[in-house]
Structure formats: structure tokens, C-alpha cells
């Protein structure tokens, strides 16, 4: 038997309240610092979450909604709103939508959805001496580091036919909590002659360039080098040998399994004389240590020495001084 029924576009019994909590305890971002005196990475709570209900059989999106209203209670920050879907059994996926460097592809099929980052700009690449990292004949694309990406996947969400606005929960009745699938690592290296350095950057190889959102599996076919700038800390300079610390925090989806021999960090130091000094250090074994696995600290004991050209003297570098200003008037073309 078949029949027709006149119904409005949205029935009250197809509206469902959904709330996504954010687990914002991020190592090396807001806790677990190697050194509290160092400059911390910037971070802000996500402002938009995309919520998707999809078919468990094939991952096809059935309904979606962007949550923009936020709040906070004893469980932490959350975003909430309503999604419209008929009665049935679905899987739920939610992730923050307001990232700057991170992108999503294949977002209509949840089992295939991937998070990735774009390559660095050609302007940045042209300035890099190591614009391509070649290890054992393999080239890796240089990508921007990803933003923290909060994801919640929950399977077999049952929605019953009701005349009330119900609240979606995990099958065990617990709240939805999204966790970041991006890790933040702290890295530092000793530098002698930091006063001769104007700026410095680093590249780390063997990282994943993309990750599957559904289960967090790294894409082994997309190896990448992550680019990030360095900072210096002269406050703890060892005055007897003129050694300071260059450090950075960087984000990554993670290192690729089976590519442990490919993890290198290449440092590029731009000197005040316009030259570039590079140094490549293999850190493969460090990723097997407890310090890196649990604390995500990459502490390199080696000292990189920046030698000035003969006859050159300077007190500038990454902490330059200014003796006088020249006032110039002119226009700026935008």
C-alpha cells in the first residue's frame, strides 16, 4: 500500500538538539610546557562546528548543520544548536569549521573525508634553500602546519519518532566530546653565534600531509615536510661560550608509520650579511623515546655554530638594536 501525506518542510518531531563539547587540553599549547618562560603558541577556542548525520552503510551525508552558538559549563566549552533529520539510525560526525590553514576534501562522503593543509606559498618556497627535501630519492611537498582540528565520531545514533525536540547523545547516553587530531610538538636546538642571525626557519620531514577524518588514519601516500619559524631565547645564554637556544612549537597530524628513517629537521639561518647557513639533523631515534612520545618534546643537544665572515663584526641578529630612526614620508600602494 502507498499513500501521500501533506507535511510542512520541517516538523517539530524532526528537530533534534545537539551539543558538542571541546576537549581543549592541548599538550604544549595550554599545558605540559617544557619551559614555562618560553613564548607560547597562539590558540583560540573554535567558533563554528559542522555536525553531520550520515548513513552507516556508505557514509552518505543525510543531514548537516553548522553550530555557531557557544557556551560554557562545568564540563568545558561547547557549541550547540539544532539539526533536522527523520527517524532512523545514523552515524554522527562533528568537526570545527573555522580553521585557517586546514582544509577538507570529499566532505559529502564521511568515510572518505580527509583533512589536509596547503603547500607553502611560492614566495616562501623561493626563499628556502632547502625548497625540496630529498631523502633516498623521494621528494616531499612542503606544507603549512595544520590548525588544531577537533573531531567527534559516534556510531549508531538512534533517532525515534517523537512529537518533542529530543537531545542527541552517544549510544551509552554520554555527551559528545570532540578531541583534536593534531599534535603540537616543542623543539629546541643550541645555537652559537645567534647574534649573527636575522631570522631562522625549520623543516621537518616524514610527517603526514593529510588524515582521514572518520578514524584519524594518516595518509601514507601523502608524505610531507612541515615548515615553521624559529624563535630565540637569549635570556638563558651561556655567556662563557655564547650559546643560546633556538626553539619552536609546530603542529602536525603525526609522523608516518614505516617511514621512521626519513625524519630529519633542516634548519635555515639567514644571517645579517645576507647569507644562509643550513644544518640537517636526523631525529628518527628521538621519536622512539618516552620524552617525544609522551611529552612531545624534541630536545636536540647538538650545538649549531653560526660563523661570521672574516672581518665582520655585529651585535645585531635575532635580537637587533636600533640607534636612530630616519623619517621617510611616502605613499603605500595597495
Amino acid at each position: 500500500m502507498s499513500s501521500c501525506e501533506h507535511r510542512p518542510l520541517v516538523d517539530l518531531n524532526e528537530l533534534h538538539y545537539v551539543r558538542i563539547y571541546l576537549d581543549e587540553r592541548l599538550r604544549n599549547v595550554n599545558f605540559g610546557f617544557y619551559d614555562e618562560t618560553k613564548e607560547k603558541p597562539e590558540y583560540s577556542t573554535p567558533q563554528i562546528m559542522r555536525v553531520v548525520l550520515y548513513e552507516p552503510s556508505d557514509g552518505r551525508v543525510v543531514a548537516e548543520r553548522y553550530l555557531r552558538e557557544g557556551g560554557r559549563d562545568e564540563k568545558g566549552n561547547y557549541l550547540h544548536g539544532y539539526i533536522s533529520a527523520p527517524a532512523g539510525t545514523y552515524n554522527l560526525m562533528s568537526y570545527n569549521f573555522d580553521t585557517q590553514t586546514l582544509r577538507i576534501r570529499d566532505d559529502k562522503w564521511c568515510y572518505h573525508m580527509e583533512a589536509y593543509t596547503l603547500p607553502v606559498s611560492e614566495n616562501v618556497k623561493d626563499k628556502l634553500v632547502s625548497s625540496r627535501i630529498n631523502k633516498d630519492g623521494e621528494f616531499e611537498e612542503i606544507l603549512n602546519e595544520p590548525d588544531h582540528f577537533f573531531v567527534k565520531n559516534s556510531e549508531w545514533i538512534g533517532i525515534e519518532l517523537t512529537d518533542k525536540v529530543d537531545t542527541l547523545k552517544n549510544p551509552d547516553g554520554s555527551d559528545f566530546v570532540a578531541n583534536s587530531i593534531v599534535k603540537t610538538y616543542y623543539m629546541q636546538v643550541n645555537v652559537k653565534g645567534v647574534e649573527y642571525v636575522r631570522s631562522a626557519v625549520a623543516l621537518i620531514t616524514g610527517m603526514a600531509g593529510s588524515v582521514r577524518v572518520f578514524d584519524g588514519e594518516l595518509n601514507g601516500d601523502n608524505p610531507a615536510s612541515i615548515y615553521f619559524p624559529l624563535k630565540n631565547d637569549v635570556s638563558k645564554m651561556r655567556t662563557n661560550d655564547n650559546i643560546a637556544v633556538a626553539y619552536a612549537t609546530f603542529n602536525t597530524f603525526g609522523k608516518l608509520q614505516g617511514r621512521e628513517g626519513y625524519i630529519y629537521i633542516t634548519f635555515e639561518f639567514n644571517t645579517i650579511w645576507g647569507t644562509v647557513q643550513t644544518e640537517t639533523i636526523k631525529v628518527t631515534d628521538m621519536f622512539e623515546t618516552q620524552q617525544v612520545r609522551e611529552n612531545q618534546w624534541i630536545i636536540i643537544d647538538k650545538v649549531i655554530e653560526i660563523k661570521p665572515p672574516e672581518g665582520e663584526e655585529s651585535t645585531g641578529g635575532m635580537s637587533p638594536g636600533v640607534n636612530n630612526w630616519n623619517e621617510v614620508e611616502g605613499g603605500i600602494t595597495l
Side-chain angles (χ1 to χ4, degrees):
M1 299 291 292
S2 62
S3 64
C4 296
E5 180 182 359
H6 176 74
R7 303 174 65 187
L9 292 178
V10 178
D11 280 342
L12 181 62
N13 57 11
E14 291 189 357
L15 281 179
H16 315 282
Y17 177 75
V18 59
R19 174 180 291 189
I20 309 294
Y21 283 94
L22 303 171
D23 183 355
E24 296 181 280
R25 186 170 168 80
L26 306 173
R27 185 173 292 277
N28 294 318
V29 176
N30 50 29
F31 88 102
F33 297 110
Y34 177 76
D35 187 342
E36 288 288 345
T37 65
K38 298 291 194 299
E39 184 178 343
K40 309 301 189 299
E42 295 182 359
Y43 170 77
S44 57
T45 297
Q47 301 299 308
I48 302 175
M49 294 287 286
R50 184 191 184 208
V51 177
V52 175
L53 294 177
Y54 61 96
E55 287 286 353
S57 58
D58 57 10
R60 176 178 56 87
V61 174
V62 176
E64 63 179 321
R65 185 67 183 265
Y66 294 88
L67 309 180
R68 294 178 171 84
E69 297 295 326
R72 181 177 179 82
D73 60 19
E74 68 280 357
K75 298 178 184 179
N77 291 319
Y78 62 83
L79 287 106
H80 63 144
Y82 298 88
I83 189 168
S84 178
T89 300
Y90 306 100
N91 289 352
L92 178 143
M93 176 185 291
S94 182
Y95 57 86
N96 57 306
F97 198 72
D98 53 349
T99 54
Q100 295 184 359
T101 61
L102 187 142
R103 301 289 186 271
I104 295 293
R105 55 177 166 239
D106 296 331
D107 62 343
K108 297 301 181 184
W109 302 90
C110 289
Y111 292 138
H112 304 288
M113 191 184 305
E114 274 195 338
Y116 67 101
T117 58
L118 297 175
V120 298
S121 67
E122 291 298 324
N123 182 46
V124 170
K125 188 182 296 184
D126 290 343
K127 293 179 181 178
L128 294 173
V129 173
S130 305
S131 59
R132 289 284 182 178
I133 305 298
N134 186 350
K135 300 298 178 187
D136 297 336
E138 294 194 14
F139 290 92
E140 293 185 353
E141 197 165 24
I142 301 174
L143 303 181
N144 290 295
E145 54 182 315
D147 309 284
H148 272 283
F149 190 54
F150 293 86
V151 177
K152 173 58 183 175
N153 281 301
S154 186
E155 298 181 304
W156 308 110
I157 305 297
I159 297 179
E160 298 180 357
L161 187 64
T162 176
D163 59 354
K164 298 179 180 179
V165 178
D166 58 346
T167 298
L168 301 186
K169 297 274 188 177
N170 287 308
D172 61 2
S174 61
D175 295 314
F176 299 127
V177 180
N179 302 90
S180 178
I181 62 174
V182 171
K183 295 181 178 180
T184 298
Y185 284 84
Y186 171 85
M187 186 281 308
Q188 77 172 37
V189 66
N190 300 312
V191 180
K192 183 175 183 179
V194 72
E195 67 270 23
Y196 304 129
V197 178
R198 175 174 287 115
S199 63
V201 298
L203 300 166
I204 183 168
T205 66
M207 299 294 107
S210 58
V211 60
R212 192 163 61 190
V213 179
F214 167 68
D215 56 7
E217 182 176 342
L218 304 179
N219 186 350
D221 297 327
N222 187 21
S225 296
I226 302 297
Y227 162 87
F228 53 94
L230 296 176
K231 304 180 180 69
N232 78 314
D233 185 1
V234 297
S235 64
K236 297 182 179 179
M237 180 180 291
R238 289 157 27 189
T239 54
N240 57 330
D241 49 16
N242 198 29
I243 293 178
V245 170
Y247 69 97
T249 53
F250 66 91
N251 294 341
T252 175
F253 295 124
K255 72 179 183 68
L256 290 176
Q257 299 297 324
R259 297 179 60 88
E260 286 79 1
Y262 294 89
I263 306 179
Y264 297 81
I265 298 181
T266 298
F267 301 93
E268 291 197 8
F269 298 92
N270 296 284
T271 69
I272 58 177
W273 297 282
T275 60
V276 178
Q277 180 173 329
T278 65
E279 186 87 16
T280 298
I281 300 174
K282 188 175 183 179
V283 295
T284 302
D285 295 338
M286 296 186 67
F287 273 81
E288 301 305 317
T289 64
Q290 181 179 2
Q291 180 172 258
V292 176
R293 288 200 313 266
E294 296 185 5
N295 298 324
Q296 295 159 209
W297 298 340
I298 304 172
I299 311 300
I300 301 174
D301 292 331
K302 183 175 180 178
V303 177
I304 300 175
E305 183 174 358
I306 309 298
K307 295 184 178 180
E310 293 184 5
E312 296 285 355
E313 295 182 0
S314 174
T315 59
M318 294 179 78
S319 299
V322 177
N323 296 323
N324 194 16
W325 291 100
N326 291 325
E327 186 172 322
V328 178
E329 294 185 3
I332 298 177
T333 302
L334 299 179

